Amino acid sequence: LLRGQSRPRWVPTLLEPPHFRDLVLLLVLFSVTVGIRSWLAAQRTVAEPGDTFNFLFIAQALLQGRLPQRENRLPGYPAVVAALWALGVDPLVAATVVSVAASGGTAILLYLLGRRFRLHPFPLALFILLYGISPLASVNGIRPLADSFFLFTVLLAVYCATVVRPTWRFALG
């Protein structure tokens, strides 16, 4: 924007340069979360649950240009899996990659929301790091199911409603 021009309220929050400390902490949180979960996913030898194959069936149907009838699951997660599958990635690997990447994105969004609410960066990062390496969160973060993706999209919606356009009308939308 040019000098003297009025700006919408949401522009400064998007254009303010982040502190170097925040960038480093975000990189560490994302790297540790995705690194640990990628390693765990590569070591996993447990047979995948039945719901995984239901999501893969939806992804395959989306690649064929249709949505299965009587399907109660939302098509967001299968659509992302289908996009990777279309690029030649094995569908089960694609589903796991989406879950691991979404859990890394969740760590980033939790940090950004915490900073938005003025939490101190180091205790916040430590909390998210501990959450990221906790056994239950790690096991759920590597399963090729929609849980990690759903949590990521909910936090993304909260972030958009509180930071990008912090109005009650936008939040309601």
Side-chain angles (χ1 to χ4, degrees):
L1 296 172
L2 300 175
R3 276 196 176 151
Q5 273 187 318
S6 64
R7 300 182 259 193
R9 278 185 349 162
W10 56 271
V11 170
T13 58
L14 293 178
L15 295 180
E16 286 176 356
H19 296 291
F20 179 72
R21 166 197 66 215
D22 290 325
L23 291 175
V24 169
L25 288 173
L26 283 172
L27 181 65
V28 167
L29 288 172
F30 183 81
S31 299
V32 168
T33 302
V34 170
I36 287 174
R37 291 181 183 181
S38 296
W39 182 81
L40 288 172
Q43 305 302 316
R44 187 179 171 114
T45 58
V46 176
E48 299 306 329
D51 240 10
T52 297
F53 296 102
N54 294 333
F55 283 116
L56 295 181
F57 176 73
I58 298 168
Q60 185 178 32
L62 290 174
L63 285 173
Q64 296 169 353
R66 61 183 181 82
L67 189 61
Q69 292 182 351
R70 297 187 189 133
E71 184 53 61
N72 296 329
R73 292 170 186 86
L74 296 173
Y77 173 72
V80 177
V81 172
L84 290 175
W85 194 352
L87 294 173
V89 179
D90 178 78
L92 196 54
V93 171
T96 304
V97 165
V98 170
S99 292
V100 170
S103 64
T106 296
I108 288 174
L109 287 172
L110 284 172
Y111 183 82
L112 292 174
L113 282 167
R115 292 299 291 142
R116 172 69 175 167
F117 296 119
R118 292 179 172 64
L119 298 177
H120 194 271
F122 294 111
L124 174 64
L126 181 60
F127 169 75
I128 295 170
L129 187 63
L130 290 174
Y131 167 75
I133 64 173
S134 70
L136 184 59
S138 293
V139 167
N140 284 330
I142 65 171
R143 292 177 64 203
L145 296 171
D147 302 344
S148 294
F149 184 77
F150 179 74
L151 181 59
F152 172 75
T153 55
V154 166
L155 285 174
L156 183 61
V158 169
Y159 182 78
C160 288
T162 58
V163 176
V164 177
R165 292 280 310 253
T167 66
W168 69 270
R169 288 187 180 122
F170 187 77
L172 184 61

